[in-house]
Coordinates of all heavy atoms in Angstrom, one line a residue:
D82 N -6.8 3.5 2.8 CA -7.7 2.5 3.2 C -6.8 1.1 3.3 O -5.8 1.0 2.6 CB -8.8 2.2 2.3 CG -9.9 1.3 2.8 OD1 -10.0 1.0 4.0 OD2 -10.8 0.9 2.1
I83 N -7.2 0.2 4.3 CA -6.5 -1.0 4.3 C -7.6 -2.1 4.4 O -8.5 -1.9 5.2 CB -5.6 -1.1 5.6 CG1 -4.5 0.0 5.6 CG2 -5.0 -2.5 5.7 CD1 -3.5 0.1 6.9
T84 N -7.6 -3.0 3.5 CA -8.6 -4.1 3.5 C -8.1 -5.4 3.4 O -6.9 -5.6 3.4 CB -9.6 -3.8 2.2 OG1 -8.7 -4.0 1.0 CG2 -10.1 -2.5 2.2
I85 N -8.8 -6.4 3.5 CA -8.4 -7.8 3.4 C -9.2 -8.4 2.1 O -10.5 -8.1 2.0 CB -8.9 -8.6 4.6 CG1 -8.3 -8.1 5.8 CG2 -8.6 -10.2 4.4 CD1 -8.7 -8.8 7.1
S86 N -8.5 -9.0 1.2 CA -9.1 -9.5 -0.1 C -9.9 -10.8 0.2 O -9.8 -11.4 1.3 CB -8.0 -9.7 -1.1 OG -7.3 -10.9 -0.7
Q87 N -10.6 -11.2 -0.7 CA -11.5 -12.5 -0.6 C -10.5 -13.6 -0.4 O -10.8 -14.6 0.1 CB -12.2 -12.7 -2.0 CG -13.2 -11.6 -2.2 CD -14.5 -11.9 -1.4 OE1 -14.6 -12.9 -0.8 NE2 -15.4 -10.9 -1.3
A88 N -9.2 -13.5 -0.9 CA -8.1 -14.5 -0.8 C -7.5 -14.5 0.5 O -6.6 -15.4 0.9 CB -7.1 -14.5 -1.9
G89 N -7.7 -13.4 1.3 CA -7.2 -13.3 2.6 C -5.9 -12.4 2.7 O -5.3 -12.4 3.8
D90 N -5.5 -11.7 1.5 CA -4.4 -11.0 1.6 C -4.8 -9.5 2.1 O -5.9 -9.1 2.0 CB -3.9 -10.7 0.1 CG -3.4 -12.1 -0.5 OD1 -2.7 -12.7 0.1 OD2 -3.7 -12.3 -1.8
I91 N -3.8 -9.0 2.9 CA -4.0 -7.7 3.4 C -3.6 -6.6 2.3 O -2.6 -6.7 1.8 CB -3.3 -7.6 4.7 CG1 -3.8 -8.3 5.7 CG2 -3.4 -5.9 5.1 CD1 -2.9 -8.4 7.1
L92 N -4.5 -5.7 1.9 CA -4.3 -4.8 0.9 C -4.2 -3.4 1.4 O -5.1 -3.0 2.2 CB -5.4 -4.7 -0.2 CG -5.7 -6.3 -0.8 CD1 -6.9 -6.2 -1.7 CD2 -4.5 -6.8 -1.4
I93 N -3.2 -2.7 1.0 CA -3.0 -1.2 1.4 C -3.4 -0.4 0.1 O -2.8 -0.6 -0.9 CB -1.5 -1.0 1.7 CG1 -1.2 -1.9 2.8 CG2 -1.3 0.4 2.0 CD1 0.3 -2.0 3.0
K94 N -4.5 0.3 0.2 CA -4.9 1.2 -0.8 C -4.3 2.6 -0.5 O -4.4 3.1 0.5 CB -6.4 1.3 -0.9 CG -7.1 -0.1 -1.2 CD -8.5 -0.2 -1.4 CE -9.0 -1.4 -1.8 NZ -10.4 -1.5 -2.1
A95 N -3.7 3.2 -1.5 CA -3.1 4.5 -1.3 C -2.9 5.3 -2.6 O -2.9 4.6 -3.8 CB -1.6 4.3 -0.7
M96 N -2.7 6.5 -2.4 CA -2.4 7.4 -3.6 C -0.9 7.5 -3.7 O -0.2 7.6 -2.7 CB -2.9 8.8 -3.2 CG -4.6 8.8 -3.0 SD -5.5 8.2 -4.4 CE -5.3 9.3 -5.5
D97 N -0.5 7.3 -5.0 CA 1.0 7.4 -5.3 C 1.3 8.9 -5.4 O 0.6 9.6 -6.3 CB 1.2 6.7 -6.6 CG 2.7 6.5 -7.1 OD1 3.4 7.5 -6.7 OD2 3.0 5.6 -7.6
R98 N 2.3 9.3 -4.7 CA 2.6 10.7 -4.8 C 3.1 11.2 -6.2 O 3.0 12.3 -6.5 CB 3.6 11.1 -3.6 CG 3.0 11.5 -2.4 CD 4.0 12.1 -1.5 NE 3.2 12.8 -0.5 CZ 3.8 13.6 0.5 NH1 5.2 13.6 0.7 NH2 3.1 14.2 1.3
E99 N 3.8 10.3 -6.8 CA 4.4 10.6 -8.1 C 3.5 10.8 -9.2 O 3.5 11.8 -10.0 CB 5.5 9.6 -8.4 CG 6.3 10.0 -9.6 CD 7.4 8.9 -10.0 OE1 8.0 8.5 -9.1 OE2 7.6 8.7 -11.1
T100 N 2.5 9.8 -9.3 CA 1.5 9.9 -10.3 C 0.2 10.5 -10.0 O -0.6 10.8 -10.8 CB 1.3 8.4 -10.9 OG1 0.6 7.8 -9.8 CG2 2.6 7.8 -11.4
G101 N -0.1 10.7 -8.7 CA -1.4 11.1 -8.2 C -2.6 10.2 -8.4 O -3.7 10.4 -8.3
E102 N -2.1 8.8 -8.7 CA -3.1 7.7 -9.0 C -3.2 6.8 -7.8 O -2.4 6.7 -7.0 CB -2.7 7.0 -10.2 CG -2.8 7.7 -11.5 CD -2.3 7.0 -12.7 OE1 -1.8 5.7 -12.4 OE2 -2.4 7.5 -13.8
S103 N -4.4 6.3 -7.7 CA -4.7 5.3 -6.6 C -4.1 3.9 -6.9 O -4.1 3.5 -8.2 CB -6.3 5.1 -6.5 OG -6.5 4.1 -5.5
R104 N -3.4 3.3 -6.1 CA -2.7 2.1 -6.3 C -3.1 1.2 -5.0 O -3.4 1.6 -3.9 CB -1.1 2.2 -6.3 CG -0.7 3.1 -7.3 CD -0.7 2.3 -8.6 NE 0.0 2.9 -9.6 CZ -0.5 3.1 -10.8 NH1 -1.7 2.7 -11.1 NH2 0.1 4.0 -11.6
T105 N -2.9 -0.2 -5.2 CA -3.1 -1.2 -4.2 C -1.9 -2.0 -4.1 O -1.3 -2.5 -5.1 CB -4.4 -2.2 -4.6 OG1 -5.6 -1.2 -4.7 CG2 -4.6 -3.0 -3.4
F106 N -1.5 -2.3 -2.8 CA -0.3 -3.0 -2.5 C -0.7 -4.1 -1.6 O -1.3 -3.9 -0.6 CB 0.8 -2.1 -1.9 CG 1.1 -0.9 -2.8 CD1 0.5 0.3 -2.5 CD2 2.1 -1.0 -3.7 CE1 0.8 1.4 -3.3 CE2 2.4 0.1 -4.5 CZ 1.7 1.3 -4.3
R107 N -0.1 -5.3 -1.7 CA -0.2 -6.4 -0.8 C 0.8 -6.3 0.2 O 2.0 -6.0 0.0 CB -0.1 -7.7 -1.5 CG -1.3 -8.2 -2.3 CD -1.2 -9.6 -3.0 NE -0.2 -10.5 -2.3 CZ 0.2 -11.6 -3.0 NH1 -0.3 -11.8 -4.2 NH2 1.0 -12.3 -2.5
L108 N 0.4 -6.4 1.4 CA 1.3 -6.3 2.6 C 2.4 -7.3 2.6 O 3.5 -6.9 2.8 CB 0.5 -6.4 3.9 CG 1.3 -6.3 5.2 CD1 1.8 -4.9 5.5 CD2 0.5 -6.8 6.5
D109 N 2.2 -8.4 2.2 CA 3.2 -9.5 2.1 C 4.2 -9.2 1.0 O 5.3 -9.9 1.0 CB 2.6 -10.9 1.8 CG 1.9 -11.1 0.6 OD1 1.2 -10.1 0.2 OD2 1.9 -12.1 0.0
R110 N 4.0 -8.2 0.1 CA 5.0 -7.9 -0.8 C 5.9 -6.6 -0.4 O 6.8 -6.2 -1.2 CB 4.3 -7.6 -2.2 CG 3.7 -8.8 -2.9 CD 3.1 -8.5 -4.2 NE 2.6 -9.7 -4.9 CZ 3.1 -10.4 -5.8 NH1 4.3 -9.9 -6.4 NH2 2.7 -11.3 -6.4
L111 N 5.6 -6.1 0.7 CA 6.4 -4.9 1.1 C 7.8 -5.5 1.6 O 7.8 -6.5 2.4 CB 5.7 -4.2 2.3 CG 5.0 -3.0 1.9 CD1 3.9 -3.1 1.0 CD2 4.7 -2.3 3.2
I112 N 8.8 -4.9 1.2 CA 10.2 -5.2 1.6 C 10.6 -4.3 2.6 O 11.1 -4.8 3.7 CB 11.2 -5.2 0.4 CG1 10.7 -6.2 -0.7 CG2 12.6 -5.5 0.8 CD1 11.5 -6.0 -1.9
S113 N 10.5 -3.0 2.6 CA 10.8 -2.1 3.7 C 10.0 -0.8 3.4 O 9.4 -0.6 2.3 CB 12.3 -1.7 3.5 OG 12.7 -1.1 2.2
Y114 N 10.0 0.0 4.6 CA 9.1 1.2 4.5 C 9.7 2.2 5.5 O 10.4 1.9 6.5 CB 7.6 0.9 4.8 CG 7.5 0.3 6.2 CD1 7.2 1.1 7.2 CD2 7.7 -1.0 6.6 CE1 6.9 0.8 8.5 CE2 7.5 -1.5 7.9 CZ 7.2 -0.5 8.8 OH 7.0 -1.0 10.2
T115 N 9.3 3.4 5.1 CA 9.7 4.7 6.1 C 8.5 5.4 6.2 O 7.9 5.9 5.1 CB 10.9 5.5 5.5 OG1 12.0 4.6 5.3 CG2 11.3 6.6 6.3
V116 N 8.1 5.6 7.4 CA 6.9 6.6 7.7 C 7.5 7.9 7.9 O 8.5 8.2 8.6 CB 6.2 6.2 9.0 CG1 5.1 7.2 9.2 CG2 5.7 4.7 8.8
H117 N 7.0 8.8 7.1 CA 7.5 10.3 7.1 C 6.5 11.1 8.1 O 5.5 10.8 8.5 CB 7.3 11.0 5.8 CG 8.1 10.1 4.8 ND1 9.5 10.3 4.7 CD2 7.8 9.3 3.7 CE1 10.1 9.5 3.6 NE2 9.0 8.9 3.1
R118 N 7.1 12.2 8.5 CA 6.4 13.0 9.5 C 5.7 14.2 8.8 O 5.2 15.1 9.5 CB 7.4 13.6 10.6 CG 8.0 12.5 11.3 CD 7.0 11.8 12.3 NE 7.7 10.8 13.1 CZ 7.0 9.8 13.5 NH1 5.8 9.6 13.3 NH2 7.6 8.9 14.0
T119 N 5.6 14.3 7.6 CA 4.9 15.3 6.8 C 3.5 15.0 6.6 O 3.0 13.9 6.9 CB 5.5 15.7 5.5 OG1 5.5 14.3 4.7 CG2 7.1 16.0 5.6

């Protein structure tokens, strides 16, 4: 899921592959990323 917070931040909701837990990340805190084909 991708949402916008009440404060206007874009939030990325995702499952962490290592822990299997749900996590939320702010788009403005991403430094780099790689999209995989799996």
Side-chain angles (χ1 to χ4, degrees):
D82 200 8
I83 299 175
T84 62
I85 301 174
S86 71
Q87 296 283 346
D90 297 315
I91 297 173
L92 304 176
I93 300 161
K94 296 183 179 186
M96 301 304 292
D97 184 328
R98 274 197 160 177
E99 186 175 326
T100 64
E102 297 176 349
S103 179
R104 298 278 186 237
T105 301
F106 305 93
R107 282 183 21 197
L108 181 67
D109 62 322
R110 291 182 179 255
L111 259 64
I112 298 168
S113 61
Y114 64 97
T115 301
V116 177
H117 302 283
R118 300 287 181 212
T119 58

